[in-house]
Amino acid sequence: MLDPAQTVAERLKIVQSRITEAASQSGRSASDIQLLAVSKTKPLVDILQAYHAGQIDFGENYLQEALQKQEELAQLHDEAQAARDICWHFIGPIQSNKTRAIAENFSWVHSVDRLKIAQRLSQQRDEQLPELNICLQVNLDNEESKSGFSPQELQQQVIEISKLPKLRVRGLMAIPKPRQEYSEQLQSLQRLQQLQDELNKAGLNLDTLSMGMSQDLAAAVAAGSTMLRVGSDIFGPRN
Ligand SMILES: *Cc1c(COP(=O)(O)O)cnc(C)c1O
């Protein structure tokens, strides 16, 4: 499906047009859907190619790898503008001894999966920095192998986390089980949208639904995603 001869900029353009297409099919405005380019395992040059093609938000899964790229970027004098513009999102599993570096070096964290992690991120966020934007990861399919809040415990936990001073709870995130069928993808993604609606009815003010990857992008748009996390369809297959 991916043409190896295509550049990152070309693939990015194709992904953007898929988003526009999916949005128009579900009567949504593409401008309500943000694209997060997931650059895990990919070098900084690829990130810069995407940046120079207009991409601002980048998602990383592995802390050390992300910090290395950030440092590398900070040292490129010709890319000072990119270093200022790029918005870094942490989307990977979080170990509690890594929260300080995450709180200090990212603008968003999508993978907050327990109260203790949220408390640490809030405590460790620098006073000088704006609130850290977070999404709570939901284990939609109750998979043993996946982290995240269970749908049942979500409401009580979101309320607790919303009280933490240096965090801004923006919404929910999920990585559903991979499914081939559009209708099955749609069904599980709609569940996240439903959970978010329930929380907003209960008085929360969540504006972000972080869902949809290369394989379920269209279904995610139809189910109300406001932030798609796309890796391989932009940067090519991972090693
Ligand atoms: C890798 C990853 C993505 C991107 O997946 P693709 O299938 O490459 O688009 C999105 N979200 C998370 C949490 C990831 O780890």
Side-chain angles (χ1 to χ4, degrees):
M1 201 180 85
L2 282 169
D3 177 353
Q6 273 169 347
T7 64
V8 167
E10 285 165 345
R11 293 200 194 109
L12 183 63
K13 217 172 191 175
I14 294 170
V15 168
Q16 286 162 344
S17 61
R18 281 165 62 200
I19 297 171
T20 308
E21 166 82 20
S24 87
Q25 282 188 356
S26 31
R28 300 185 59 197
S29 163
S31 62
D32 293 337
I33 303 159
Q34 239 181 305
L35 176 61
L36 181 57
V38 177
S39 43
K40 61 175 178 237
T41 82
K42 299 296 175 183
L44 181 64
V45 289
D46 289 8
I47 293 177
L48 286 170
Q49 275 194 35
Y51 167 76
H52 289 292
Q55 180 65 30
I56 296 290
D57 291 279
F58 291 87
E60 290 279 345
N61 290 59
Y62 310 109
L63 182 63
Q64 287 316 313
E65 182 194 329
L67 296 180
Q68 256 170 31
K69 290 178 210 175
Q70 291 178 358
E71 210 165 293
E72 209 184 320
L73 176 59
Q75 286 170 8
L76 298 178
H77 295 297
D78 292 349
E79 299 291 357
Q81 189 64 42
R84 280 191 294 275
D85 290 347
I86 289 179
C87 178
W88 295 99
H89 298 239
F90 192 81
I91 63 173
I94 305 174
Q95 292 166 284
S96 56
N97 62 345
K98 301 288 172 62
T99 48
R100 181 175 298 279
I102 294 172
E104 287 172 350
N105 294 286
F106 290 82
S107 301
W108 282 74
V109 180
H110 292 235
S111 42
V112 174
D113 62 352
R114 48 201 195 280
L115 177 60
K116 182 182 158 202
I117 293 293
Q119 287 166 334
R120 292 177 65 96
L121 289 170
S122 177
Q123 276 160 11
Q124 294 168 342
R125 181 75 168 169
D126 194 304
E127 272 304 316
Q128 312 296 320
L129 293 173
E131 290 172 333
L132 181 63
N133 295 294
I134 65 160
C135 293
L136 304 194
Q137 185 171 348
V138 180
N139 190 350
L140 272 184
D141 300 304
N142 282 312
E143 291 174 274
E144 292 251 343
S145 62
K146 274 200 193 129
S147 45
F149 295 96
S150 71
Q152 294 73 28
E153 67 180 335
L154 192 60
Q155 183 160 334
Q156 185 225 333
Q157 298 282 303
V158 183
I159 290 169
E160 281 306 303
I161 292 171
S162 299
K163 295 176 189 157
L164 297 170
K166 287 298 285 180
L167 303 183
R168 187 167 162 214
V169 184
R170 300 295 297 266
L172 304 181
M173 178 272 224
I175 312 169
K177 259 188 201 163
R179 295 175 171 97
Q180 292 306 317
E181 286 293 321
Y182 177 89
S183 61
E184 289 179 7
Q185 292 175 349
L186 188 64
Q187 203 174 25
S188 97
L189 294 161
Q190 279 172 335
R191 176 91 178 102
L192 196 70
Q193 151 96 292
Q194 208 176 30
L195 288 168
Q196 179 125 310
D197 283 350
E198 286 166 17
L199 295 172
N200 281 338
K201 284 201 191 100
L204 288 143
N205 186 17
L206 309 179
D207 62 10
T208 302
L209 262 184
S210 170
M211 61 185 191
M213 319 203 317
S214 296
Q215 295 305 313
D216 60 357
L217 182 155
V221 169
S225 171
T226 65
M227 211 181 284
L228 300 161
R229 307 180 311 266
V230 179
S232 36
D233 281 1
I234 296 173
F235 295 109
R238 284 180 290 273
N239 315 320

